[in-house]
DNA sequence: ACCTGAACACCGTTCAAGT
DNA sequence: ACCTGAACACCGTTCAAGT
């Protein structure tokens, strides 16, 4: 045994890379939430001085960008171009949902960052491809892509808790519904039991069905 | 003149209240962005010691919650129950959009907070009321409300820049489109000019039309 | 009841020094 | 080329002291 040789040391603590830093950040966020992420915490997680990180990442913002891009690049975008475009559209939107379930606490970061690489273009390309296959013209294809993205993002926010405007009802339904002004919120009160029931999967599919169904009803270039 | 009497001093610097603190925070966010908001900045804006804020607001999180609630309470929710439910639904979703345009930089805060007051229930009540008027059963009404909320939130994120995954294309389209791999992004490249054109209003209305149209096609209890 | 300054335990990042 | 410690200018919040 030759302890403490450089080879040994690097085996115990592999070379610092951007990838290792990003993965440590992701692990930290999933474990303690996005608020717990700090350059200092990541550094100590990697057993390294804070400033060492700056040799591989220009600043914290860039690190968060790296986190967002890593997560999105994990989207499973296998596609069967011969399948009906409706099925392809469903699979695409669900792929975003799947990755969101894989990195639930990182989603706040993903939904909040702009991308500076092409990683965000992969889902866009898919959406445009299937819209074209469905027979829509270019302008419509772009609008379809944007509508699908809007729904995917918004539905995810609702599930995470973003935009969860009924939060105090979700947590202690019975007690809170009773306290509501019956004159102001008659429907909320009447539907209290339904609102308290949670089936995010069904909610998500309901909205997705609405959108896909609406696209089927849309006039297409192929019809002309 | 009797300078420096208590009355005079309080005239120059009105009593510190939660409302004044929240409004100062909103003004600061709209002026410099949500990242610039700190307890210390708000305090100095109000010409007051940092710790004075804590007499009216328990902590920074509560302050941000106050910001979100103030913005949402500004939603103009006038409603004509005798109007067609389609028009009422459109008006409701647009009301969110309007307030988002009024406080663009505060939206990052609104979209990111949970509410602990009933302010978020007002739009929910409206959505449920119009879904019932349209003849949908309770479970469907709740799902419609959630789908509309998801779209409103997601569409707004796209416009703000959240989830703007094509950001580097938006800023310098020509240069960047040329650099894309033609094999990987054929449709993105072909539709480059369309993608570069921005008409958020039209994009928003397109998706909203899809959803409302899909709701019209849905079977209703009234049909039975 | 409200205000405040000092202090504590944190931040991100610059810089100069090391190898 | 990569790592590092000290330092700077910030944070949010606790506490004890004032009125």
């Amino acid at each position: 045994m030759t302890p403490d040789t450089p080879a040994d040391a690097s085996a115990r603590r592999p070379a610092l890379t951007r990838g290792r830093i990003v993965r440590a950040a992701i692990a930290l966020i999933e474990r303690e939430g996005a608020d717990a992420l700090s350059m200092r915490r990541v550094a100590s997680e990697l057993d390294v001085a804070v400033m060492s990180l700056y040799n591989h990442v220009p600043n914290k913002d860039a690190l968060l960008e790296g986190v967002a891009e890593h997560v999105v690049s994990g989207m499973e975008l296998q596609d069967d171009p011969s399948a009906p475009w409706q099925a392809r559209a469903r699979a695409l939107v669900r792929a975003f949902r799947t990755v969101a379930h894989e990195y639930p606490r990182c989603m706040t970061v993903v939904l909040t960052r702009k991308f500076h690489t092409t990683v965000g273009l992969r889902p866009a390309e898919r959406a445009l491809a299937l819209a074209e296959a469905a027979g829509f013209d270019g302008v419509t294809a772009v609008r379809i892509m944007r509508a699908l993205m809007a729904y995917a993002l918004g539905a995810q926010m609702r599930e995470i808790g973003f935009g969860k405007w009924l939060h105090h009802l979700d947590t202690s339904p019975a007690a809170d519904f009773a306290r509501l002004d019956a004159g102001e919120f008659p429907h909320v009160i009447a539907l209290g039991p339904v609102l308290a029931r949670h089936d995010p999967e069904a909610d998500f599919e309901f909205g997705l069905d609405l959108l896909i169904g609406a696209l089927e009803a849309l006039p297409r270039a192929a019809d002309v």
Side-chain angles (χ1 to χ4, degrees), chain A:
Chain A
M1 264 227 268
T2 56
D4 264 335
T5 67
D8 228 21
S10 74
R12 266 192 276 106
R13 211 205 287 179
L16 201 53
T17 62
R18 192 189 132 99
R20 251 164 52 79
I21 294 171
V22 168
R23 283 193 302 275
I26 290 175
L28 179 59
I29 292 172
E30 286 305 325
R31 203 168 350 104
E32 306 192 25
D35 283 347
L37 184 95
S38 74
M39 299 300 277
R40 289 169 135 104
R41 286 294 309 272
V42 173
S44 87
E45 214 79 41
L46 292 169
D47 232 339
V48 125
V50 206
M51 290 318 298
S52 304
L53 302 180
Y54 287 82
N55 290 309
H56 304 90
V57 163
N59 50 43
K60 189 186 182 181
D61 236 56
L63 173 54
L64 287 172
E65 203 178 295
V67 167
E69 278 166 4
H70 182 97
V71 170
V72 170
S73 74
M75 270 181 77
E76 300 258 6
L77 288 183
Q78 76 276 57
D79 183 32
D80 175 7
S82 72
W85 63 266
Q86 294 92 333
R88 295 171 69 195
R90 264 179 240 274
L92 176 61
V93 179
R94 284 187 190 128
F96 174 74
R97 191 170 170 73
T98 301
V99 85
H101 283 128
E102 209 174 332
Y103 302 98
R105 309 188 80 168
C106 282
M107 286 317 288
T108 77
V109 177
V110 174
L111 295 174
T112 296
R113 296 285 133 185
K114 297 174 184 173
F115 294 103
H116 292 91
T117 71
T118 60
V119 79
L121 286 181
R122 298 193 312 131
E125 170 68 23
R126 283 300 159 83
L128 296 176
L130 70 88
E132 187 198 54
F136 294 106
D137 65 275
V139 174
T140 307
V142 169
R143 286 188 171 147
I144 289 172
M145 177 202 75
R146 288 180 174 151
L148 290 176
M149 278 189 164
Y151 180 69
L153 298 174
Q156 203 51 39
M157 290 215 302
R158 262 198 25 85
E159 188 168 339
I160 293 178
F162 284 9
K164 212 173 212 171
W165 295 359
L166 303 76
H167 176 247
H168 66 297
L169 295 182
D170 292 340
T171 47
S172 58
D176 279 320
F177 277 113
R179 238 181 290 123
L180 286 180
D181 179 348
E184 196 178 0
F185 301 114
H187 294 87
V188 171
I189 293 170
L191 291 170
V194 183
L195 285 164
R197 195 158 42 226
H198 276 143
D199 188 347
E201 211 57 45
D203 290 340
F204 172 77
E205 294 289 336
F206 177 84
L208 184 54
D209 284 345
L210 284 183
L211 281 173
I212 307 269
L215 293 180
E216 282 178 319
L218 225 53
R220 269 161 266 172
D223 297 342
V224 189

